[in-house]
Amino acid sequence: LRFLGTGDLLRCAEACRTLARWSKGAVLAWKFREDVGDAAVAQIAAQYVNLRVVDLSGCVQVTDVSIVAMAESCPWLKSVDLSGSWGNRSKITDVAIVALAKKCARLKSANLAYCSLLTDASIVPLAGSCPLLKIVNLRGCKLLTDVSIVALAGNCPQLKSVHLHGCRLITKASKAALK
């Protein structure tokens, strides 16, 4: 199926009961598919409101528009991967993460690596609204400060893993808060 275009995958999900069942409850995994954009993500989110895991890593055409739509439609999300890749410009901003924070309180894992436009304005609400977070990857999020990490440490008691490599504004205060 990985060789099919996004439109073909959507048509397959509509026609195939097994694929539709798989899509409804489990995973939207379109890693590094350059043809995946806002329209496809919004369509899936509207059709499969029980999604639990979404992996859109490296999908450079995905923007806040579809992530906000997904947050609105899929409140049961437990894991999101919106990571970009090094040198690859992610279009995800604070708007998308705040929407996830408001609507998806059951999140346990958030991979936001290389979402270089994110600031404390989104990570603090995420920490405050998603106390079940266990894994947070913020690698390469260069605009984040200690404020975000202290919020995660203070509001997410189940936190087991926080990746901060490349977060240039993070100091020893964050490391102390995480201990």
Side-chain angles (χ1 to χ4, degrees), residues 13 18-28 44 48 50-52:
T18 302
L19 185 58
R21 250 191 322 260
W22 171 78
S23 298
K24 283 181 185 176
V27 180
L28 171 59
I44 287 289
Y48 302 115
N50 293 321
L51 284 174
R52 302 289 197 277

Side-chain angles (χ1 to χ4, degrees), residues 92-113:
I92 303 300
T93 70
D94 291 334
V95 172
I97 307 308
V98 168
L100 287 170
K102 286 181 181 177
K103 299 293 184 175
C104 304
R106 294 168 185 84
L107 276 179
K108 293 183 179 184
S109 174
N111 187 350
L112 307 173

Side-chain angles (χ1 to χ4, degrees), residues 29-151:
W30 282 338
K31 291 182 174 186
F32 296 96
R33 302 250 344 206
E34 293 186 16
D35 62 329
V36 173
D38 287 337
V41 174
Q43 181 181 351
I44 287 289
Q47 191 171 0
Y48 302 115
V49 297
N50 293 321
L51 284 174
R52 302 289 197 277
V53 179
V54 174
D55 186 345
L56 295 170
S57 56
C59 296
V60 296
Q61 300 304 318
V62 173
T63 69
D64 292 343
V65 172
S66 59
I67 303 304
V68 169
M70 185 175 50
E72 292 285 333
S73 298
C74 306
W76 300 101
L77 282 175
K78 291 185 178 184
S79 176
V80 293
D81 188 337
L82 303 176
S83 61
S85 58
W86 184 82
N88 194 355
R89 294 279 178 206
S90 171
K91 296 177 181 166
I92 303 300
T93 70
D94 291 334
V95 172
I97 307 308
V98 168
L100 287 170
K102 286 181 181 177
K103 299 293 184 175
C104 304
R106 294 168 185 84
L107 276 179
K108 293 183 179 184
S109 174
N111 187 350
L112 307 173
Y114 300 108
C115 292
S116 58
L117 301 174
L118 298 183
T119 68
D120 296 334
S122 61
I123 303 303
V124 171
L126 184 70
S129 298
C130 302
L132 301 176
L133 279 170
K134 292 181 180 182
I135 301 168
V136 180
N137 186 350
L138 300 171
R139 177 184 206 119
C141 295
K142 300 174 185 177
L143 302 176
L144 297 181
T145 69
D146 292 332
V147 172
S148 290
I149 310 312
V150 169

Side-chain angles (χ1 to χ4, degrees), residues 5-21:
T6 303
D8 293 332
L9 281 172
L10 292 174
R11 284 187 283 286
C12 285
E14 291 172 357
C16 173
R17 287 184 190 155
T18 302
L19 185 58
R21 250 191 322 260

